[in-house]
């Protein structure tokens, strides 16, 4: 049996053909020279690689590049980036197998996509539910409805500082983590390798045992409360009832199929409500698989899409995660979460970070690269469609129906950030004007010609035309520019 080369996002048993298959792991320093990754992301990846090296017949090679570490015939599962796939194809005596670590096979997605003019998550999700018989009662969706989003959009409980759910099991660092931290300090000191974000205790699983413990805990203790508040934000509770499993799944420590099965079993056993189980499963069977397939289905040039002609540069305060420079409470807290943890959940990513970047007109490719480097679960395939398509609407609607732009009213409704903030979400002009509220109207005004035909924006654009102080808003936001708000 040929040795199986596992990339650092292919670390689980489902990437092997047999439990005793010999393994090659490569720790490439060149990866960290090319980009300034979050310090905790670098730690998590190296810790996961080195922990995996202790299991079975594993050869761990530390090298500058992947190519110089390959010295024998190998098999490898299809990598998750075009650059890595190109490398594998150039190497002699390396056989590339079909991808693993996702649910729907590429040929099935291509057939599905080829039958339609527009690619939408909801359509793919229903196809995948049927195809894999997930949350199905015969030929019908469990509970009679495909999508229970309406039940999963509650604002945070009034007056609550955090949700009443037990925290996930803590990670206990070991001697491998200690050595990783020492090595990263040395790389930064002696090798010219730079990082963003702060170092800190490891917060996410680096072993399959840790990942399975987190999965069991989530399904038993947090999934029952997940659904209603999955879109809500609390300044004192960054985790809410989210699973925090995306880093483990994206490292390959968990098979998404086993995660989906665990959530469905909890619903079938009466231990979790259907709305929560469906919302969670949609994130994995639906959204995660959808953006993976779009990465390969769309042309390579998709990453450079910029239909709204956004050409602003990322300001230094944002690029360097300088939350202390920001006075807007929501943006300061979320940016601090990225700085301190390398993770915030999907709504702060979309509606605080991505929303602000789109309003300010920053270049979508730079925003996608920032998300890739700054989040512990960020990879090129994750962030391309998520950021370029959904968050920045830079593809003109190829995979979403409208720009996810919102003003302060949305943030006020879905979070507790506006209380105590120096800005007022109801004010769009003046010293107290919320930068999100003013930025929202400025975004619509700037792109009214491109968005006029979008039926989902008919009412906002009608509201734009009724604003008596629009010129004052536009002048104010031109002066604000990309300065830290």
């Amino acid at each position: 049996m040929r040795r199986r080369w596992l990339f650092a996002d292919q670390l689980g048993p489902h990437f092997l053909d047999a439990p005793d298959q010999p393994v090659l792991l490569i720790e490439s320093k060149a990866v960290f020279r090319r980009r300034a990754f979050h310090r905790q992301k670098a730690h998590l990846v190296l810790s996961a690689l080195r922990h995996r090296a202790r299991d079975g017949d594993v050869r761990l090679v530390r090298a500058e590049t992947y190519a110089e570490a390959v010295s024998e015939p190998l098999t490898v599962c299809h990598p998750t980036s075009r650059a890595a796939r190109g490398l594998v194809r150039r190497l002699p005596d390396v056989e590339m197998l079909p991808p693993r670590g996702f649910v729907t096979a590429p040929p099935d997605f291509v057939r599905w996509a080829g039958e339609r003019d527009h690619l939408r998550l909801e359509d793919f999700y229903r196809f995948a539910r049927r195809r894999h018989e997930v949350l199905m009662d015969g030929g019908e969706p469990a509970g009679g409805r495909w999508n229970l989003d309406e039940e999963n959009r509650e604002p945070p409980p009034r007056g609550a500082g955090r949700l009443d759910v037990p925290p996930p099991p803590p990670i206990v660092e070991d001697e491998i983590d200690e050595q990783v931290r020492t090595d990263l300090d040395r790389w930064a000191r002696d090798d010219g390798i730079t990082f963003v974000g702060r170092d800190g205790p490891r917060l996410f699983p680096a072993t399959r045992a840790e990942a399975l413990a987190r999965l069991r805990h989530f399904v038993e203790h947090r999934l029952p409360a997940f659904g209603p508040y999955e879109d809500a934000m609390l300044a004192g509770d960054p985790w809410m009832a989210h699973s925090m499993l995306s880093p483990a799944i994206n490292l390959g420590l968990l098979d998404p199929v086993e995660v989906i099965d665990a959530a469905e079993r909890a619903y079938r056993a009466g231990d979790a409500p259907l709305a929560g189980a469906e919302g969670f499963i949609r994130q994995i069977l639906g959204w995660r698989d959808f953006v993976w397939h779009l990465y390969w289905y769309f042309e390579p040039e998709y990453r450079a899409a910029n239909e709204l002609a956004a050409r602003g540069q990322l300001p230094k305060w944002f690029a360097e995660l300088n939350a202390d420079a920001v006075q807007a409470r929501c943006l300061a807290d979320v940016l601090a979460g990225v700085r301190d943890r390398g993770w915030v959940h999907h709504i702060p990513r979309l509606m605080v970070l991505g929303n602000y970047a789109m309003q300010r007109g920053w270049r979508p490719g730079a925003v996608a690269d920032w998300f890739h480097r700054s989040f512990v679960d960020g990879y090129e395939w994750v962030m391309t469609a998520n950021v370029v398509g959904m968050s920045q609407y830079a593809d003109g609607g190829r995979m979403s129906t409208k720009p996810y732009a919102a003003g302060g009213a949305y943030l006020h409704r879905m979070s507790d950030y506006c209380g105590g903030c120096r800005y007022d979400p109801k004010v769009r002009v003046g010293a107290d004007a919320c930068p999100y509220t003013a930025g929202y109207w400025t975004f619509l005004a700037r792109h009214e010609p491109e968005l006029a035909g979008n039926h989902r924006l008919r009412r906002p654009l009608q509201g734009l035309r009724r604003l008596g102080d629009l010129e004052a808003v536009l002048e104010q936001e031109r002066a604000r520019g990309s300065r830290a708000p």
Side-chain angles (χ1 to χ4, degrees):
M1 184 183 298
R2 278 192 177 193
R3 189 175 293 273
R4 176 65 47 82
W5 174 13
L6 299 180
F7 280 92
D9 53 1
Q10 300 176 335
L11 300 180
H14 50 296
F15 290 95
L16 301 180
D17 296 336
D20 59 348
Q21 184 170 15
V23 166
L24 170 68
L25 301 174
I26 302 173
E27 188 178 295
S28 166
K29 193 180 287 188
V31 170
F32 299 97
R33 292 192 195 281
R34 286 194 291 267
R35 285 186 170 98
F37 287 104
H38 198 292
R39 170 64 186 248
Q40 292 183 47
K41 179 189 181 78
H43 184 119
L44 180 63
V45 170
L46 293 183
S47 180
L49 274 171
R50 295 181 187 183
H51 278 95
R52 181 66 179 81
R54 297 192 306 186
D55 299 335
D57 181 3
V58 179
R59 185 159 68 90
L60 173 63
V61 178
R62 296 188 173 104
E64 185 65 25
T65 67
Y66 290 118
E68 67 187 58
V70 175
S71 60
E72 62 181 306
L74 300 166
T75 59
V76 63
C77 295
H78 191 294
T80 59
S81 76
R82 285 190 168 88
R85 184 180 67 175
L87 167 67
V88 168
R89 286 175 168 171
R90 292 192 300 272
L91 293 173
D93 247 352
V94 177
E95 178 188 359
M96 185 166 62
L97 306 173
R100 303 185 190 182
F102 299 88
V103 185
T104 297
D108 290 339
F109 180 87
V110 170
R111 280 192 294 271
W112 170 83
E115 297 172 351
R116 45 198 25 88
D117 296 328
H118 296 91
L119 304 182
R120 299 290 182 255
L121 168 66
E122 186 65 27
D123 298 333
F124 170 71
Y125 173 59
R126 295 183 185 194
F127 163 80
R129 289 266 296 271
R130 292 188 181 99
R131 176 72 178 81
H132 303 288
E133 299 182 350
V134 173
L135 285 180
M136 298 296 294
D137 291 336
E140 297 299 318
R145 286 190 291 161
W146 291 102
N147 186 322
L148 285 84
D149 252 359
E150 291 181 0
E151 298 177 32
N152 292 340
R153 292 173 176 161
E154 293 293 319
R158 187 178 298 275
R162 59 188 309 109
L163 291 187
D164 185 20
V165 294
I171 298 294
V172 179
E173 292 193 2
D174 59 14
E175 72 283 356
I176 290 179
D177 291 294
E178 182 180 355
Q179 186 60 53
V180 166
R181 187 164 281 109
T182 298
D183 289 347
L184 291 176
D185 287 342
R186 177 171 49 79
W187 289 6
R189 184 182 64 247
D190 300 337
D191 292 346
I193 294 175
T194 59
F195 302 100
V196 297
R198 293 178 176 173
D199 189 16
R202 180 161 61 84
L203 299 173
F204 299 95
T207 70
R208 178 155 170 83
E210 290 174 340
L212 287 170
R214 282 280 178 93
L215 173 60
R216 287 192 295 268
H217 185 275
F218 169 69
V219 170
E220 182 176 350
H221 298 288
R222 298 166 71 82
L223 179 59
F226 168 74
Y229 304 115
E230 66 172 294
D231 285 0
M233 297 172 281
L234 284 170
D237 190 355
W239 313 119
M240 303 294 281
H242 288 270
S243 73
M244 299 156 57
L245 293 174
S246 56
I249 299 173
N250 289 353
L251 285 168
L253 296 172
L254 295 173
D255 187 336
V257 173
E258 69 184 326
V259 176
I260 291 165
D261 287 349
E264 179 164 7
R265 284 197 305 271
Y267 158 66
R268 299 289 183 188
D271 296 328
L274 176 59
E278 187 275 317
F280 177 68
I281 287 171
R282 182 164 9 98
Q283 291 185 340
I284 300 173
L285 177 68
W287 191 252
R288 182 176 184 271
D289 258 38
F290 188 54
V291 298
W292 152 259
H293 287 295
L294 290 180
Y295 174 78
W296 298 104
Y297 189 78
F298 287 156
E299 65 282 358
E301 294 76 21
Y302 181 85
R303 292 184 66 230
N306 194 358
E307 290 296 314
L308 297 181
R311 296 190 172 89
Q313 298 300 307
L314 262 64
K316 185 177 180 181
W317 61 268
F318 190 87
E320 296 181 356
L321 312 181
N322 184 8
D324 295 335
V326 180
Q327 298 181 65
R329 189 169 177 235
C330 59
L331 183 55
D333 184 70
V334 171
L335 197 61
V338 181
R339 178 194 66 196
D340 298 342
R341 298 183 298 274
W343 186 94
V344 294
H345 74 74
H346 67 286
I347 292 299
R349 297 188 200 204
L350 179 65
M351 302 308 298
V352 177
L353 299 170
N355 183 21
Y356 198 76
M358 183 171 62
Q359 290 182 4
R360 299 295 141 183
W362 299 340
R363 188 167 60 83
V367 179
D369 179 70
W370 180 88
F371 273 94
H372 174 185
R373 295 182 294 103
S374 301
F375 280 80
V376 292
D377 57 4
Y379 295 84
E380 184 176 294
W381 70 266
V382 174
M383 297 306 180
T384 297
N386 261 316
V387 176
V388 173
M390 185 180 188
S391 167
Q392 301 303 294
Y393 201 67
D395 65 356
R398 291 178 67 182
M399 53 87 64
S400 59
T401 58
K402 72 178 184 70
Y404 279 84
Y410 173 88
L411 297 170
H412 182 51
R413 183 172 67 256
M414 295 304 296
S415 78
D416 63 352
Y417 284 128
C418 296
C421 181
R422 63 145 295 187
Y423 299 111
D424 186 333
K426 298 185 293 297
V427 176
R428 58 180 175 264
V429 177
D432 296 332
C434 172
Y436 283 89
T437 300
Y440 172 71
W441 294 115
T442 301
F443 171 80
L444 290 181
R446 185 168 68 241
H447 296 294
E448 184 178 6
E450 301 100 308
L451 303 176
N454 189 314
H455 73 277
R456 296 192 66 186
L457 294 175
R458 185 179 301 117
R459 291 182 63 186
L461 290 175
Q462 289 172 347
L464 174 73
R465 297 173 194 123
R466 291 194 297 267
L467 292 185
D469 55 1
L470 180 58
E471 286 305 317
V473 172
L474 297 179
E475 179 58 34
Q476 169 186 275
E477 295 312 297
R478 275 193 294 268
R480 189 197 306 271
S482 291
R483 290 183 291 107

